[in-house]
Amino acid sequence: MPGFEQTTPYLKALPTRLLAIAGVRGSSISRAALAEHGSGQFEFSVMVTLAEYGAVSQAELCRRTGLDRKDVATVVLTLEQAGHVARTADAGDARRKIVSLTAEGQSRFARLRQVADDSQDRALAMLSESERATLVALLQKILAAD
């Protein structure tokens, strides 16, 4: 981070400040990598969720991604228009739509997942595999405390 070395020792030692700065840096790297492939973080989050959990309702996509209902609806529509997802009526409730990845969507997701993995490698290149695992475990512990 430019200017980080001139930051006061106290500011350099504030964990929440360091998390925020590292988060912005990492997010920027991920966003740029996905954008190079015509995707965004919301689209990727929806596709990951569908790849890992299978077909789910839009409401379930909201819960599992943590995205706003309106954002999920926009992303699903965009993905549907591109042929990456299909929406079908729920057999138990015709008002409810079930979203699933199409074969084309699965292929696109596989490519985007590699892009995401590569961006993680760039963002964390200065850490060993052991340090990365520790970082992930600590961040998961912090987030699970909510």
Side-chain angles (χ1 to χ4, degrees), residues 87-104:
R87 280 193 281 192
T88 56
D90 184 334
D93 182 353
R95 296 169 299 170
R96 195 169 104 164
K97 298 296 183 196
I98 302 298
V99 183
S100 60
L101 282 175
T102 62
E104 187 177 328

Side-chain angles (χ1 to χ4, degrees), residues 11 15-16 20 29 34 43 50 56 58-59 64 73 83 112 123 136 145-146:
L11 291 176
T16 54
I29 291 168
L34 289 169
E43 177 183 329
L50 293 172
V56 296
Q58 284 189 211
R64 292 192 183 266
L112 290 177
V136 169
D146 284 346

Side-chain angles (χ1 to χ4, degrees), residues 64-116:
R64 292 192 183 266
T65 61
L67 298 174
D68 180 76
R69 206 175 83 207
K70 199 181 224 182
D71 291 330
V72 167
T74 300
V75 169
V76 167
L77 178 61
T78 301
L79 289 171
E80 183 179 40
Q81 290 171 341
H84 298 140
V85 302
R87 280 193 281 192
T88 56
D90 184 334
D93 182 353
R95 296 169 299 170
R96 195 169 104 164
K97 298 296 183 196
I98 302 298
V99 183
S100 60
L101 282 175
T102 62
E104 187 177 328
Q106 290 170 354
S107 293
R108 176 153 174 78
F109 170 68
R111 290 187 306 273
L112 290 177
R113 184 172 180 147
Q114 186 59 55
V115 168

